[in-house]
Amino acid sequence: MRFSPTQVEGVLRVDPDPVADARGAFARLHCPQEFAAAGAAFAPAQTSLSRNTAAFTLRGMHYQPAPHGETKLVRAVRGRIFDVALDLRPHSPTYRRWTGVELDAEGGAALFIPEGVAHGFLTLEPDSDVLYQIAPLFEPGHGQGVRWDDPAFAIDWPAAPQVISERDATYPDYQGV
């Protein structure tokens, strides 16, 4: 695996190194030792799948504050998405900055999102499935979010959402932590 830093402290793009032959290809997608060596110790406790039937479906920007914060490894396993990580850690050198990367099933890249960083994505084609590996276990009732188009962050989405939940569309303006 190749680990590449992004514009947000601690958020990494993780690209597999597939080995190909006549049968197809094989690639390691997570290894605790390799993640730790890259400075991103991560042992998933839960795996979840987000199915999205329509293009331009937006989910996010979600996070869980401490002590229930989550670390996530996110990848498109079908279709294509624009994946966004937004730094909400007040003491981080990249506080309030965001990074966005295109992830697709063909390339297999993932985005590693540490605790304290909000996450969201926009599907770029229909029938896009997003696989989440999460640590620690999800704690219901602690989820929070910021609005996808909040001017405090000025996220440059590649298109306007056509499908979005009422909750995600109506988060109040960010007031800081």
Side-chain angles (χ1 to χ4, degrees), residues 1-3 12 30-42 112:
M1 286 175 280
R2 295 181 315 276
F3 297 84
L12 301 172
H30 177 261
C31 171
Q33 292 84 357
E34 288 185 49
F35 272 72
F42 179 59
F112 175 80

Side-chain angles (χ1 to χ4, degrees), residues 7-38:
Q7 297 92 337
V8 173
E9 182 76 24
V11 175
L12 301 172
R13 180 185 170 113
V14 182
D15 287 282
D17 283 325
V19 176
D21 62 21
R23 300 168 294 173
F26 180 87
R28 185 180 343 209
L29 301 179
H30 177 261
C31 171
Q33 292 84 357
E34 288 185 49
F35 272 72

Side-chain angles (χ1 to χ4, degrees), residues 48-115:
S48 300
L49 180 70
S50 171
R51 294 214 112 149
N52 305 277
T53 56
F56 307 113
T57 296
L58 191 136
R59 292 184 187 252
M61 301 293 296
H62 305 144
Y63 69 99
Q64 290 208 157
H68 304 288
E70 297 175 320
T71 298
K72 301 175 182 175
L73 183 65
V74 180
R75 73 174 20 94
V77 293
R78 183 169 70 147
R80 190 166 56 99
I81 66 171
F82 183 71
D83 204 40
V84 175
L86 169 64
D87 194 347
L88 296 179
R89 302 167 295 182
H91 302 292
S92 168
T94 56
Y95 178 55
R96 289 187 167 197
R97 293 210 323 235
W98 63 274
T99 189
V101 297
E102 193 171 303
L103 302 176
D104 61 60
E106 182 70 25
L111 197 62
F112 175 80
I113 303 163
E115 181 179 329

